Amino acid sequence: EYVVRAKDLTKEFVMGNEVTRALKGISIDIKRGEYISIIGPSGSGKSTFFNMIGGLDRPNSGSVFINDVDMAQLDATELAFLRCHTIGYIFQTFNLIPVMTALENVTLPTVFAGMPSEDGVKRGMELLDTVGLGHRYHHKPGQLSGGQQQRVAIARALANNPSIILADEPTGNLDQNTGTEIIALLRRLNQEHNVTIITATHDPKMIRVSDRAVIIRDGLIDKIQDRSDIESEF
Ligand code: ADP
Ligand code: ADP
């Protein structure tokens, strides 16, 4: 059962008369419950690849299937629905809404999904408990440490029970110990809820817990390492 099937993805950016070929033909199938690290030098195409599988941008050619749905066949409304229900997003800079409390931030995706507010609030509190922040539900992001903000962001990503979490450098703005805690949390959620984690990362600790590491170079997959390769290299 594949949650992501990307086939021959290409993406070009045209700026004036300069063309950048960001993706030159990327194919990968990702199974439900896998924990995948996408690694590679800056400018190699990781974010572009992320944007394709997250439905944030469309490829020039090739296809992305999410849970057997071809994203190219969806109109804007259907794509928004798929993104809201199937994919949770986590960012390096947390991207919480500063004027909202932790609970309001976590509950927001359930509002977009049309969940009755009582159910959304109940779900939000459960998720804050899951990430160990139930006692901080009324705090705003500015009143929370970086690690706590990332926990809130993880709870928010889980709000609509997605099958995939896309995490772009989730430990990039955290100190070593806090980063280790966030990795342990993601790993626990991955194992307990069978949620697929796809992360772009430079963090060796993150790579070490992954099932596979996908190394992207110059718009192409250079190699894919499995657990035994990862254990010997990271
Ligand atoms: P990475 O995430 O690995 O650092 P990116 O996917 O951000 O790499 O970028 C891949 C290439 O595409 C780079 O050469 C980058 O400059 C270019 N690129 C990315 N996004 C855009 C854009 N919106 N417009 C023009 N060029 C872009
Ligand atoms: P950490 O040790 O995780 O970096 P801090 O030292 O920043 O956390 O904060 C310690 C505790 O105090 C945290 O649990 C945080 O939620 C709380 N806290 C920090 N700043 C504020 C604030 N301005 N208002 C309310 N609580 C705060």
Side-chain angles (χ1 to χ4, degrees):
E1 183 199 4
Y2 292 105
V3 290
V4 177
R5 305 195 80 160
K7 183 124 181 69
D8 297 330
L9 289 182
T10 72
K11 181 70 178 177
E12 289 180 0
F13 294 105
V14 181
M15 293 171 80
N17 47 20
E18 194 188 329
V19 179
T20 304
R21 294 175 66 208
L23 300 183
K24 300 176 180 172
I26 286 197
S27 301
I28 186 170
D29 294 337
I30 298 173
K31 288 200 192 96
R32 173 101 210 217
E34 271 198 287
Y35 196 128
I36 305 260
S37 285
I38 312 281
I39 57 188
S42 176
S44 56
K46 300 183 297 293
S47 302
T48 305
F49 175 62
F50 249 60
N51 292 342
M52 302 293 123
I53 57 181
L56 302 167
D57 199 358
R58 292 190 191 260
N60 290 106
S61 66
S63 56
V64 181
F65 286 76
I66 301 289
N67 296 329
D68 295 324
V69 174
D70 182 355
M71 283 214 261
Q73 303 299 319
L74 304 180
D75 65 26
T77 310
E78 293 165 331
L79 191 60
F81 186 90
L82 177 117
R83 286 179 43 198
C84 179
H85 288 267
T86 310
I87 306 171
Y89 301 84
I90 301 171
F91 307 93
Q92 181 171 0
T93 50
F94 323 131
N95 293 14
L96 299 172
I97 297 177
V99 297
M100 294 181 130
T101 65
L103 179 60
E104 288 165 345
N105 269 283
V106 174
T107 307
L108 196 56
T110 70
V111 176
F112 292 136
M115 192 185 287
S117 70
E118 230 170 274
D119 298 347
V121 167
K122 186 160 170 278
R123 172 98 183 128
M125 281 307 299
E126 282 167 6
L127 286 167
L128 283 172
D129 282 336
T130 299
V131 301
L133 274 185
H135 60 302
R136 299 264 177 229
Y137 72 94
H138 59 293
H139 283 54
K140 293 191 176 144
Q143 301 169 318
L144 298 169
S145 68
Q148 291 174 332
Q149 289 183 59
Q150 196 60 300
R151 285 170 190 275
V152 174
I154 291 169
R156 177 181 60 182
L158 292 166
N160 292 326
N161 202 20
S163 47
I164 303 161
I165 286 188
L166 285 179
D168 197 356
E169 296 279 356
T171 62
N173 270 355
L174 303 174
D175 62 50
Q176 287 287 325
N177 290 337
T178 311
T180 303
E181 287 169 20
I182 291 298
I183 292 165
L185 173 61
L186 288 172
R187 189 63 175 150
R188 173 165 72 80
L189 296 168
N190 167 246
Q191 290 176 335
E192 287 177 5
H193 301 274
N194 204 29
V195 59
T196 310
I197 310 256
I198 307 173
T199 177
T201 187
H202 292 104
D203 188 339
K205 294 194 294 319
M206 182 72 113
I207 299 166
R208 256 181 257 132
V209 302
S210 306
D211 298 316
R212 288 194 287 164
V214 178
I215 295 142
I216 296 191
R217 242 175 249 289
D218 198 19
L220 286 167
I221 293 181
D222 184 42
K223 59 183 163 185
I224 300 183
Q225 299 183 308
D226 63 16
R227 289 255 13 123
S228 60
D229 301 328
I230 290 170
E231 272 159 27
S232 58
E233 260 196 62
F234 293 96

